[in-house]
Amino acid sequence: MAAERPSKGRTKHTSPTASIRYMDGSTRDVPLAQLRLRDFSESEPWRRVRSIHGMKHYSGDYASATTGGQVVYESRLELARLLLADFDPSVCRIFAQPCRMVTRIDGRVRSHVPDFLLVMRSGTVRVVNVKPASRLQDPTVIQALAWPGELIERHGWEYEIWSGAAPTLLENVRFLAGYRHPGVLPDDEVERAWRKIVDGEEMAVAERRLAGNRKPEEARPALMALLWAGRLTTDLTSRPLSGESVLRRRG
């Protein structure tokens, strides 16, 4: 893709624009009204996240099972939202810092880089901004998050401001994430467990039956992989995963 020079000054922006950065080093400005998912093909995050000793923010790269690659994040809260997106079977694509939005409001040019863009299997697109709940009472933060949401929803995409989830849910999903990548367990072992699972039985019962002559905990990884994949479900919100967790088959 040929590089397009971004405007040196922001005074030229008279209509909402999304600037997208690509892996080949080029940058493209797209009128927001014309923005499509295909514009993000072979794109990269608008900012390159770097971890520096002494930084107050916790940033890094997350190895996503959904994308099959690394997704950047700039805080622990962003990592939590990213983890839940990776766990959500309805999400099929994840873009971090997908673009820089620029528009003119009350005579002033404003810019904003959303945290994530999620693409659902249904075709729905959701733009997500992550912000601690403690900062959502700040008038400056409210204004900074409001105008991007108005533009995104006017475009026909969903807009989400995310400030956290139930701690128990996050801890359970973090644990299951250890089983998120294909190949962590042999496929035949996971499939054998899937065939033998009885809908509605407790995890401890399933482990004992699947283990046979082995220790019950040796059967646990296959159940964790099935839970991460969404083929099994259980209550992850109100209680930690345990032998009393009731397993349900899905699909």
Side-chain angles (χ1 to χ4, degrees):
M1 183 176 294
E4 297 185 25
R5 290 181 179 273
S7 301
K8 291 183 179 180
R10 296 181 180 177
T11 57
K12 296 182 180 180
H13 289 281
T14 57
S15 60
T17 301
S19 297
I20 304 172
R21 186 160 284 155
Y22 294 93
M23 295 178 183
D24 64 2
S26 65
T27 301
R28 182 182 174 208
D29 294 338
V30 182
L32 194 61
Q34 300 174 21
L35 187 64
R36 300 293 182 269
L37 271 180
R38 62 176 176 268
D39 293 313
F40 296 96
S41 179
E42 298 186 10
S43 67
E44 65 177 12
W46 182 258
R47 291 190 296 264
R48 183 65 249 175
V49 178
R50 292 181 175 87
S51 295
I52 302 174
H53 180 69
M55 283 179 60
K56 293 182 179 180
H57 297 292
Y58 181 87
S59 60
D61 296 286
Y62 170 79
S64 168
T66 300
T67 67
Q70 302 291 322
V71 182
V72 301
Y73 59 90
E74 292 188 306
S75 69
R76 292 182 186 274
L77 195 61
E78 283 189 21
L79 176 57
R81 182 64 186 91
L82 179 54
L83 190 66
L84 292 180
D86 204 31
F87 180 62
D88 187 345
S90 69
V91 175
C92 62
R93 298 170 73 187
I94 303 171
F95 297 91
Q97 299 185 18
C99 62
R100 184 185 70 185
M101 299 173 60
V102 181
T103 193
R104 186 183 295 275
I105 300 175
D106 297 330
R108 294 180 58 191
V109 175
R110 298 182 182 275
S111 66
H112 176 75
V113 179
D115 293 317
F116 299 110
L117 184 148
L118 308 180
V119 184
M120 310 299 172
R121 298 188 188 281
S122 64
T124 299
V125 179
R126 180 180 303 158
V127 176
V128 180
N129 272 317
V130 176
K131 196 67 66 175
S134 61
R135 298 191 61 193
L136 294 181
Q137 306 304 314
D138 185 331
T140 302
V141 173
I142 292 172
Q143 183 183 48
L145 295 177
W147 70 260
E150 292 174 3
L151 292 179
I152 290 162
E153 290 178 342
R154 192 185 309 164
H155 188 57
W157 291 355
E158 294 182 352
Y159 183 61
E160 172 185 306
I161 299 174
W162 193 83
S163 297
T168 301
L169 172 64
L170 289 174
E171 286 305 311
N172 283 333
V173 174
R174 285 191 186 102
F175 178 74
L176 291 175
Y179 303 88
R180 68 187 182 275
H181 292 298
V184 172
L185 294 174
D187 289 343
D188 58 349
E189 183 176 338
V190 176
E191 291 306 314
R192 183 165 56 251
W194 170 247
R195 289 193 299 269
K196 294 184 177 180
I197 287 295
V198 176
D199 185 74
E201 69 181 348
E202 292 184 348
M203 189 179 300
V205 176
E207 289 175 351
R208 288 196 295 271
R209 188 165 47 76
L210 293 173
N213 296 326
R214 300 177 297 162
K215 296 179 180 179
E217 56 267 27
E218 292 183 31
R220 189 170 304 161
L223 299 179
M224 300 300 103
L226 288 167
L227 283 167
W228 173 268
R231 299 172 70 183
L232 289 178
T233 63
T234 192
D235 177 10
L236 298 176
T237 302
S238 63
R239 59 189 301 176
L241 277 169
S242 71
E244 296 178 354
S245 296
V246 176
L247 302 175
R248 295 290 183 184
R249 296 176 67 95
R250 175 190 285 173

